[in-house]
């Protein structure tokens, strides 16, 4: 199980391959990658702020909760902060299990919790200025299904 | 003394990322009331409680959380990770 919080870009292919190779006994690996939407070219950059210390703790607690709910063989969460351009990868989640249902469910669970319970804040920079991204009701509501 | 941290637009409204605060307040809400009374930057940052979240010693908490023994409080808007 690994939680990585970093400013630098990550190598999605290398991380995914290493994760799948290291997941001994797994029959299913699910990966999800979140990208910066460039909104048709309107976005000049996205700035992501986070709460060092709490971020790692909160994500680790989410991963522990996912392991308690599903028979996961491994899990990986990578989340970036700092200044990102449109199209860049912001974060990824990978889960490994014997069967795909557990891997998909755990990945969705982690995504839902990362959206609303990991201390990150996104700010969109456009030619019109800078604006904090507002949390969405639908993201908060998504937690209720777990 | 409590270390108080501010993130995102809460940080921008207050104009500082963190400060050390001496407080007699018993709860997070009591601390917010003290801060609001300081000046208008704090009153602005803490104007709409529905758009604020708080972490006490790096765990999400309610505004009624007690401050006894607490080292670090953070105020921020709803999180937008993922």
């Amino acid at each position: 199980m690994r939680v990585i919080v970093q400013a630098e870009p990550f190598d999605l292919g290398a991380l995914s391959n290493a994760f799948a190779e290291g997941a001994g006994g797994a029959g299913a690996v699910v990966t999800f990658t979140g990208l910066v939407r460039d909104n048709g070219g309107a976005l000049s950059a996205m700035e992501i702020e986070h709460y060092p210390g709490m971020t790692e703790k909160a994500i680790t607690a989410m991963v522990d909760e996912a392991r308690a709910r599903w028979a996961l063989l491994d899990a990986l969460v990578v989340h970036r902060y700092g200044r990102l351009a449109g199209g860049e990868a912001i974060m990824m989640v990978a889960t490994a299990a014997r069967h795909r249902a557990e891997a998909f469910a755990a990945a969705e669970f982690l995504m839902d919790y990362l959206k609303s319970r990991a201390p990150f804040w996104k700010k969109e920079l456009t030619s019109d200025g800078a604006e904090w991204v507002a949390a969405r009701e639908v993201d908060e509501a998504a937690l209720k299904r777990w | 003394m409590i270390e108080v941290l501010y993130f995102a637009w809460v940080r921008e409204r207050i104009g500082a990322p963190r400060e050390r605060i001496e407080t007699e307040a018993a709860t997070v809400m009591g601390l917010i009331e003290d801060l609001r009374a300081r000046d208008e930057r704090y009153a602005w940052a803490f104007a709409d409680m529905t758009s604020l979240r708080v972490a006490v010693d790096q765990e999400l908490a309610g505004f009624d959380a007690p401050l006894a023994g607490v080292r670090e409080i953070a105020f921020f808007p709803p999180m937008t990770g993922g």
Side-chain angles (χ1 to χ4, degrees), chain A residues 17-120:
Chain A
N17 285 332
F19 182 82
E21 283 162 16
V29 167
V30 166
T31 65
F32 171 85
T33 312
L35 308 177
V36 178
R37 270 183 287 269
D38 75 353
N39 297 333
L43 186 92
S44 51
M46 177 173 273
E47 277 180 6
I48 303 176
E49 182 172 336
H50 82 117
Y51 182 172
M54 180 174 167
T55 306
E56 294 80 357
K57 272 202 244 178
I59 300 174
T60 300
M62 289 169 204
V63 172
D64 288 345
E65 178 64 25
R67 292 173 70 188
R69 289 175 182 234
W70 296 281
L72 296 183
L73 295 163
D74 201 1
L76 166 70
V77 176
V78 184
H79 205 301
R80 292 177 62 195
Y81 60 89
R83 196 179 178 96
L84 280 72
E88 280 192 67
I90 302 176
M91 53 81 63
M92 71 171 287
V93 161
T95 54
R98 286 184 55 77
H99 300 284
R100 73 177 185 278
E102 287 90 346
F104 271 118
E108 276 216 277
F109 170 88
L110 287 171
M111 279 312 308
D112 282 349
Y113 271 82
L114 283 162
K115 276 269 168 213
S116 306
R117 292 291 183 273
F120 290 96

Side-chain angles (χ1 to χ4, degrees), chain B residues 13-82:
Chain B
R13 288 182 182 186
I14 288 169
R18 60 168 63 213
E19 60 186 322
R20 290 176 70 78
I21 291 177
E22 185 83 59
T23 180
E24 304 280 298
T27 65
V28 170
M29 200 58 226
L31 172 63
I32 290 173
E33 280 159 12
D34 284 356
L35 290 170
R36 276 182 184 149
R38 279 186 171 189
D39 69 52
E40 61 194 17
R41 293 174 301 140
Y42 294 94
W44 186 34
F46 294 109
D48 176 12
M49 299 300 290
T50 63
S51 62
L52 276 176
R53 300 291 180 269
V54 60
V56 173
D57 285 334
Q58 304 192 350
E59 300 264 358
L60 286 174
F63 293 110
D64 57 350
L67 293 188
V70 167
R71 291 194 307 265
E72 187 173 297
I73 301 274
F75 294 106
F76 42 79
M79 295 155 275
T80 52

